[in-house]
């Protein structure tokens, strides 16, 4: 009699893909190398590739894998909804007892899977990974990233870890918790922190992607960081109020100063340049504050509409 246990558990591997036709076969082959470890523990693999409206033949690459392996599933979006939506769709389709989220470009090394699982086995619900360096990344991008995480730690109550990747393994409990957050403006790094649970962090050195190129331009990253700040902190609203109060006090002080100076020394009540300065300055502050309000309002508007997070074109 062999002592290999029957496969009674499933590990769902969720892979958001946007223009990853070259990476997908490499990713699949590399990940399968870990299969033996899991099947010895009675755990079967299930792949969920989410094609996030790719413009290349990503869907065809997945279908090709599916011809020989029916554990490969494909969800195709009707257009590019963004990685956050792809993650949500993947989690919804995942049937496994354990779920792991991985990038298609092999920047999330599959070789870490057994170690991640060992922590789940030991009772952790959530295993996260962190890059300890940002090798191969433009220095300016690293600098902004570090400033962003520093700021987030100060202004948000949610735990957002520097260098944390989306490469995470979790139990069904955690996956369901994440799915229960149905917000439209999704910022995973915040959502993962918000749901809590006892996270075990694994560290590894940065790996460059195997094929294709990164989908994150500097501008996209900058907007994404604003998204993160607004989704997980109301500090900018408080700040704009704070500025408002400070400038009211300052302008009152200036008024009193002007009155006293005119009354005591008969001097003219300030000059035109100062008035122009004051008008522009206060006007500027008002615009900033209105801008901040407007941004929150627009986010609220999108949430209130309750639009779907994604739309499926094809599902296999
Ligand atoms: N991705 C996606 N939708 C997008 C952008 C990216 O599903 O709109 C996927 C992409 O295919 C990859 C993962 O998200 O599997 C990470 O993207 P990328 O490697 O470009 O980001 P980086 O590793 O440079 O941060
Ligand atoms: Mg990548």
């Amino acid at each position: 009699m062999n002592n290999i246990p029957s496969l009674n558990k499933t590990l769902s591997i969720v892979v958001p893909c946007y223009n990853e036709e070259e990476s997908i076969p490499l990713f699949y082959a590399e990940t399968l190398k870990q299969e033996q470890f899991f099947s010895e523990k009675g755990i079967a693999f299930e792949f969920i590739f989410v094609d996030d409206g790719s413009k290349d033949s990503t869907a065809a690459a997945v279908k090709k894998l599916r011809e020989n392996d029916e554990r490969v599933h494909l969800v195709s979006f009707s257009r590019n909804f963004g990685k956050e939506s792809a993650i949500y769709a993947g989690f919804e389709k995942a049937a496994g007892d354990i779920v792991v989220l991985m990038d298609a470009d092999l920047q999330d090394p599959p070789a870490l899977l057994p170690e991640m699982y060992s922590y789940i086995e030991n009772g952790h619900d959530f295993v996260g990974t962190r890059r300890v360096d940002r090798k191969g990344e433009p220095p300016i991008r690293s600098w902004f990233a570090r400033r962003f995480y520093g700021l987030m730690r100060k202004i948000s109550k949610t735990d957002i870890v520097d260098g944390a990747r989306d490469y995470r393994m979790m139990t069904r409990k955690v996956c369901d918790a994440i799915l229960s957050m149905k917000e439209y403006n999704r910022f995973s790094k915040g959502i993962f922190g918000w749901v809590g649970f006892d996270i075990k962090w694994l560290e590894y050195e940065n790996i460059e992607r195997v094929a294709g190129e990164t989908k994150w331009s500097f501008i996209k990253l900058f907007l994404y960081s604003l998204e993160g700040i607004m989704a997980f902190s109301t500090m900018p609203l408080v700040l704009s109020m704070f500025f408002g109060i400070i400038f009211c006090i300052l302008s009152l002080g200036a008024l009193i100063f002007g009155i006293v100076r005119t009354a005591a020394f008969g001097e003219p009540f300030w000059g035109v340049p100062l008035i122009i300065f004051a008008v522009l300055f206060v006007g500027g502050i008002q615009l900033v504050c209105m801008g901040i309000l407007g941004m929150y309002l627009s986010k609220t508007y999108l949430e209130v509409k309750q639009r779907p997070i994604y739309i499926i074109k094809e599902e296999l």
Side-chain angles (χ1 to χ4, degrees), residues 9-12 46 48 93-99 171-172 175:
K9 274 188 172 183
T10 307
L11 171 69
S12 300
E46 169 194 63
I48 296 167
K93 305 296 166 196
D97 308 273
I98 306 149
V99 179
T171 56
R172 176 92 325 242
C175 181

Side-chain angles (χ1 to χ4, degrees), residues 70-127:
E70 56 182 26
R71 299 166 308 169
V72 173
H73 302 271
L74 169 71
V75 179
S76 263
F77 285 177
S78 58
R79 64 167 169 87
N80 180 235
F81 278 85
K83 186 180 178 188
E84 300 294 334
S85 302
I87 294 174
Y88 192 85
F91 281 15
E92 267 192 335
K93 305 296 166 196
D97 308 273
I98 306 149
V99 179
V100 64
L101 175 63
M102 299 175 83
D103 283 2
D105 59 8
L106 286 175
Q107 278 189 301
D108 298 337
L112 274 182
L113 288 172
E115 196 187 346
M116 289 170 96
Y117 180 70
S118 70
Y119 289 102
I120 299 268
E121 229 176 4
N122 289 336
H124 285 272
D125 280 305
F126 209 175
V127 183

Side-chain angles (χ1 to χ4, degrees), residues 240-297:
S240 75
M241 201 172 72
F242 174 77
F243 274 127
I245 293 171
I246 292 285
F247 284 103
C248 284
I249 292 172
L250 282 182
S251 63
L252 262 185
L255 188 71
I256 293 167
F257 175 80
I259 292 172
V260 169
R261 199 171 67 152
T262 310
F265 309 105
E267 285 191 34
F269 193 70
W270 285 0
V272 172
L274 261 169
I275 292 173
I276 294 177
F277 168 75
V279 168
L280 288 183
F281 195 59
V282 174
I285 296 295
Q286 278 179 338
L287 283 178
V288 169
C289 296
M290 270 167 58
I292 293 173
L293 274 176
M295 279 159 88
Y296 277 95
L297 191 67

Side-chain angles (χ1 to χ4, degrees), residues 20 103-107 165 207-209 214-216:
E20 302 282 10
D103 283 2
D105 59 8
L106 286 175
Q107 278 189 301
R165 305 253 328 151
I207 302 165
E208 298 192 31
R209 58 158 50 238
T214 177
K215 278 89 204 174
W216 294 95

Side-chain angles (χ1 to χ4, degrees), residues 162-187:
D162 185 7
R165 305 253 328 151
D166 290 341
Y167 184 19
R168 290 162 188 249
M169 191 183 276
M170 65 202 80
T171 56
R172 176 92 325 242
K173 248 190 299 190
V174 180
C175 181
D176 287 342
I178 291 167
L179 285 173
S180 74
M181 296 178 72
K182 299 191 188 304
E183 58 211 74
Y184 179 79
N185 295 289
R186 303 187 72 79
F187 181 68

